[in-house]
């Protein structure tokens, strides 16, 4: 199922060709930024969501600056910061709630959360040497992202008419907009969701 999302950028390539022809030098600059893992220049308040619905398999991949979800991007050193990271992680481990998958009889078959902030919280007290290294790396990059990847098995995919991100915007109010790329039964589409317009149709 992971190969579906890997194919997503290629499937959406025609949407980007016009922009690429705008200026080769500009495209090269953007490519260089992409190689360094930036999320559209790491825009605070903005996130990306890739969605693939293929038969009974639904795959979601959310990528967001940590600032949108946690409220900071530095290493979680204080007890308050660690509590925030733990709370965000707990929210992200409830995808059926965040994405309001109330139809389609969908169940989570796999989920993965990735972020330097999560890695640091997992290290606990065993971090004398590694913490210094990670802390240094964190300062070098300046930015921290959070990635959440979910795979669902939907027994009745035809009943899955829409995705509602109302709860996600509610729990993470610093997220002002989510750029969505969707591949589903009706083809591919790109759209922007906000707290005022939090739903998309498959």
């Amino acid at each position: 199922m992971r190969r579906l999302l890997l194919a997503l950028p290629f499937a959406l390539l025609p949407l980007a060709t016009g922009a690429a022809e705008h200026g080769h030098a500009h495209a090269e600059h953007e490519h260089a930024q992409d190689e360094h893992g930036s999320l559209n220049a790491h825009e605070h308040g903005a996130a990306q969501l890739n969605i693939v619905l293929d038969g009974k398999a639904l795959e979601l991949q959310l990528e967001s600056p940590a600032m949108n979800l946690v409220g900071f991007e530095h290493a979680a050193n204080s007890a308050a910061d660690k509590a925030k990271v733990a709370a965000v992680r707990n929210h992200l481990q409830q995808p059926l709630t965040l994405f309001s998958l109330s139809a389609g009889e969908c169940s989570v078959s796999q989920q993965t959360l990735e972020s330097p902030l999560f890695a640091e919280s997992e290290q606990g007290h065993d971090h004398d040497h590694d913490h210094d290294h990670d802390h240094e790396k964190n300062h070098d990059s300046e930015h921290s992202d959070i990635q959440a990847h979910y795979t669902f098995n939907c027994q009745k995919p035809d009943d899955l008419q829409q995705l509602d991100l109302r709860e996600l915007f509610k729990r993470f109010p610093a997220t002002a907009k989510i750029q969505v790329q969707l591949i589903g039964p009706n083809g591919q589409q790109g759209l922007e969701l906000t707290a005022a317009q939090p739903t998309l149709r498959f």
Side-chain angles (χ1 to χ4, degrees):
M1 193 58 216
R2 198 165 185 83
R3 59 176 168 237
L4 286 175
L5 275 182
L6 290 176
L8 189 59
F10 298 101
L12 296 172
L13 195 58
L15 300 177
T17 52
E21 290 171 359
H22 182 66
H24 184 66
H26 183 64
E28 281 184 346
H29 177 67
E30 287 186 339
H31 181 66
Q33 284 184 326
D34 288 343
E35 285 183 337
H36 286 84
S38 67
L39 176 65
N40 283 347
H42 192 89
E43 181 184 352
H44 290 174
Q48 288 182 334
L49 178 64
N50 294 326
I51 305 170
V52 178
L53 178 58
D54 182 31
K56 292 184 177 181
L58 173 64
E59 193 167 5
L60 306 179
Q61 189 173 49
L62 176 69
E63 185 172 358
S64 171
M67 181 66 73
N68 298 350
L69 308 183
V70 186
F72 57 85
E73 296 187 345
H74 57 263
N77 296 319
S78 71
D81 285 353
K82 290 177 182 178
K84 287 180 184 177
V85 171
V88 166
R89 187 169 193 162
N90 182 55
H91 286 322
L92 291 174
Q93 288 173 335
Q94 303 172 45
L96 292 172
T97 301
L98 284 181
F99 300 101
S100 189
L101 292 173
S102 55
E105 293 187 12
C106 299
S107 59
V108 181
S109 58
Q110 184 180 358
Q111 66 179 27
T112 307
L113 304 179
E114 297 178 9
S115 173
L117 298 182
F118 296 153
E120 285 169 3
S121 66
E122 285 173 350
Q123 287 171 2
H125 296 291
D126 190 19
H127 67 279
D128 283 347
H129 173 71
D130 291 340
H131 175 73
D132 291 339
H133 179 66
D134 289 343
H135 189 65
E136 188 176 315
K137 244 183 357 182
N138 218 22
H139 275 293
D140 287 343
S141 65
E142 290 294 325
H143 299 301
S144 293
D145 289 342
I146 292 176
Q147 296 181 7
H149 181 249
Y150 308 101
T151 304
F152 303 88
N153 183 24
C154 299
Q155 295 303 312
K156 296 182 178 179
D158 291 342
D159 293 347
L160 196 59
Q161 300 296 320
Q162 68 176 26
L163 201 63
D164 188 340
L165 305 190
R166 194 180 319 272
E167 188 65 24
L168 192 150
F169 283 110
K170 179 181 175 182
R171 294 194 184 192
F172 306 116
T175 302
K177 60 183 179 180
I178 298 177
Q179 300 291 340
V180 179
Q181 299 287 3
L182 165 67
I183 295 179
N186 297 320
Q188 64 186 46
Q189 59 176 305
L191 66 159
E192 181 177 290
L193 298 181
T194 63
Q197 181 55 52
T199 62
L200 65 86
R201 296 192 66 80
F202 286 103

